[in-house]
Amino acid sequence: MASKTKVPFALHDTVRLSGSMAIPDGSRVSLSPTGAIAIVQRGDMFGGAASIRPSLEANPVWQRDAQAKGWWDSVCWSLDGSRWAAGFERWEGDQRRGGVVVGDAASGKIVREVDLPTGAPVTINHQGKSAALVAFSPDASTLAWRGNQGDQGLVTLLDVGSGRVTSTQLPQGEHDLFAHAFSDDGALYTVAKAIAEQGGTARWRADGTSVDRRWDWAAGCAAVPSRRGVWSLGMYGVVWRVGEEHRGAFVPAKERRLARARALRDRATHKWDVSFLDHAIARIERDERSFCWETNTDRARWGPAPESMEGARCFDTELLWECGAAARVDDDSIVVTDGVSVLLFRERDGQLPCEVLVDDLERCSPRVRRIVDVSVSGSTLAVLWKKSASASVLSLFALDSK
């Protein structure tokens, strides 16, 4: 039963709590454009469940526990909300396997259920969670899965209508893919954590067999779709807008970045937090952050800002550590959580200003974070947060337009 349970956060004056519900071991949430909710519950390595609810107050129209020695990992919705997908993994003997269930939102029926290659939910350093393993094409006819086979990464496409599965192996030496998304014009983009000739952000050909174009400096942990391209973010404290219509030099935000680091430092009491934030502040003050390419080689390049690229724009931000949970608000806006706050970034006049929508005033670093995941549908913001080690809560907030 949904309630208006008080949340332990400071809220922006444009954010109002609509309702909350206990979700034991909640790990992911995804809102449909129609307001339906997809949830993954996962406590330990194995177990948990995935479910689809028409609303916060309604009972699930579909729910399934994880298979034996298996777990649910990801959920997503199609652009129009007509279909949902839930990705899972499991062990069969000494073989790890992946799989996905695709459902029809209107009828509640399962449209397709297939086995897929092993998933690749990769994280780095302070990143709290990996990006979702599943993403729909705009017309919901294709589902993309990020996986691997042995030491090689794979981009796998499922034709939902026929059930045909095709996998493309990444070239030898290709950096791990951390995220992927389809833009509204139907192009598939993948995002790698590293700045490199085979890293950054890549746009794939329509058949999904090879890369059509690459923006090698646009590394990230998360990918958020937009009209003609994607947002690539979560690495190096910057946000990239990637697509043919986006261009320009790096947009700095040193003072904003420094102000947030100092505000978080003012909250710090634990020795680790104090040391972490003091170090971050000192580096920002000295302009010490470096964007590196193939260090310790004869092709090494580095500097205090990423290089400009045609068809991409890089914005400095208040993000101080890796983060992989982000969601689209509209074509020019995204929300991101670093585990401590939910931040709204909205591009205006060549700048990317930030507003803190939800702030956990009792937290100040990636060491102990309460916010698990975020999603947006229209004027509704979903925040999945921990009440204790195993007790989590899904809260919905109304976003007032300004």
Side-chain angles (χ1 to χ4, degrees):
M1 179 68 68
S3 67
K4 275 202 173 183
T5 303
K6 185 178 179 181
V7 295
F9 308 122
L11 305 180
H12 192 275
D13 58 12
T14 62
V15 177
R16 295 178 293 105
L17 177 65
S18 300
S20 297
M21 172 175 284
I23 307 289
D25 293 318
S27 61
R28 293 194 192 268
V29 61
S30 181
L31 293 183
S32 160
T34 65
I37 307 169
I39 297 168
V40 170
Q41 296 168 252
R42 180 181 171 190
D44 299 317
M45 176 64 180
F46 301 132
S51 60
I52 304 295
R53 295 174 178 270
S55 67
L56 198 64
E57 296 80 14
N59 292 324
V61 294
W62 177 85
Q63 181 166 328
R64 185 185 293 181
D65 291 337
Q67 300 180 31
K69 294 187 178 180
W71 60 96
W72 292 98
D73 182 274
S74 305
V75 285
C76 72
W77 292 90
S78 60
L79 185 61
D80 62 0
S82 64
R83 285 176 173 172
W84 53 265
F88 62 89
E89 293 195 78
R90 68 189 185 281
W91 285 94
E92 292 182 353
D94 61 354
Q95 296 294 312
R96 181 172 163 180
R97 304 186 185 280
V100 69
V101 178
V102 179
D104 180 78
S107 66
K109 295 181 179 179
I110 300 302
V111 175
R112 185 71 59 190
E113 183 166 358
V114 297
D115 284 342
L116 296 174
T118 300
V122 195
T123 59
I124 185 174
N125 297 337
H126 300 299
Q127 186 186 357
K129 64 188 303 173
S130 66
L133 294 178
V134 287
F136 273 114
S137 62
D139 62 2
S141 65
T142 303
L143 187 77
W145 170 267
R146 198 172 67 255
N148 58 43
Q149 189 172 48
D151 294 331
Q152 291 297 104
L154 299 173
V155 172
T156 296
L157 300 181
L158 165 66
D159 184 300
V160 178
S162 67
R164 184 169 63 95
V165 175
T166 58
S167 292
T168 299
Q169 192 173 63
L170 301 178
Q172 185 70 35
E174 181 92 355
H175 288 273
D176 289 331
L177 298 186
F178 270 51
H180 65 288
F182 284 93
S183 61
D184 290 357
D185 62 8
L188 173 64
Y189 289 77
T190 56
V191 175
K193 70 173 177 65
I195 299 169
E197 196 170 55
Q198 292 179 318
T201 298
R203 184 182 64 209
W204 287 67
R205 299 187 189 279
D207 60 6
T209 60
S210 61
V211 170
D212 174 54
R213 177 157 181 200
R214 188 180 298 275
W215 293 266
D216 42 25
W217 285 81
C221 295
V224 179
S226 62
R227 186 178 67 256
R228 294 181 61 192
V230 294
W231 301 80
S232 176
L233 60 127
M235 291 292 298
Y236 307 107
V238 299
V239 170
W240 288 89
R241 287 211 76 174
V242 177
E244 299 298 343
E245 61 196 44
H246 304 296
R247 60 177 62 89
F250 175 67
V251 181
K254 177 179 177 178
E255 293 307 315
R256 286 170 33 199
R257 187 174 176 81
L258 191 56
R260 174 156 171 82
R262 287 171 174 165
L264 293 175
R265 172 60 176 83
D266 288 343
R267 304 180 194 175
T269 56
H270 190 277
K271 181 178 179 181
W272 190 95
D273 295 335
V274 170
S275 176
F276 176 85
L277 290 164
D278 281 346
H279 178 69
I281 290 169
R283 293 196 66 192
I284 297 170
E285 290 175 333
R286 295 193 298 261
D287 294 316
E288 210 173 87
R289 184 170 39 149
S290 295
F291 295 83
C292 303
W293 178 300
E294 296 187 8
T295 53
N296 301 320
T297 75
D298 58 3
R299 298 187 64 251
R301 288 186 285 165
W302 59 87
E307 293 192 6
S308 297
M309 297 179 295
E310 187 69 20
R313 190 77 184 270
C314 185
F315 299 90
D316 202 7
T317 72
E318 289 83 345
L319 299 172
L320 301 175
W321 52 84
E322 296 88 352
C323 49
R328 180 181 187 172
V329 178
D330 53 42
D331 198 55
D332 295 315
S333 308
I334 56 172
V335 294
V336 185
T337 182
D338 58 5
V340 172
S341 308
V342 178
L343 310 167
L344 170 67
F345 293 100
R346 175 176 287 125
E347 184 176 0
R348 291 175 175 167
D349 302 322
Q351 300 291 316
L352 194 68
C354 171
E355 292 178 349
V356 179
L357 299 182
V358 177
D359 203 11
D360 188 347
L361 298 178
E362 297 177 354
R363 304 289 191 272
C364 62
S365 79
R367 183 178 61 90
V368 180
R369 60 189 104 197
R370 190 150 31 191
I371 300 174
V372 176
D373 202 6
V374 292
S375 186
V376 175
S377 173
S379 61
T380 300
L381 166 68
V383 178
L384 185 61
W385 55 278
K386 294 180 180 179
K387 192 173 183 179
S388 65
S390 61
S392 52
V393 176
L394 173 60
S395 294
L396 300 186
F397 300 91
L399 301 177
D400 295 334
S401 59
K402 295 185 69 177

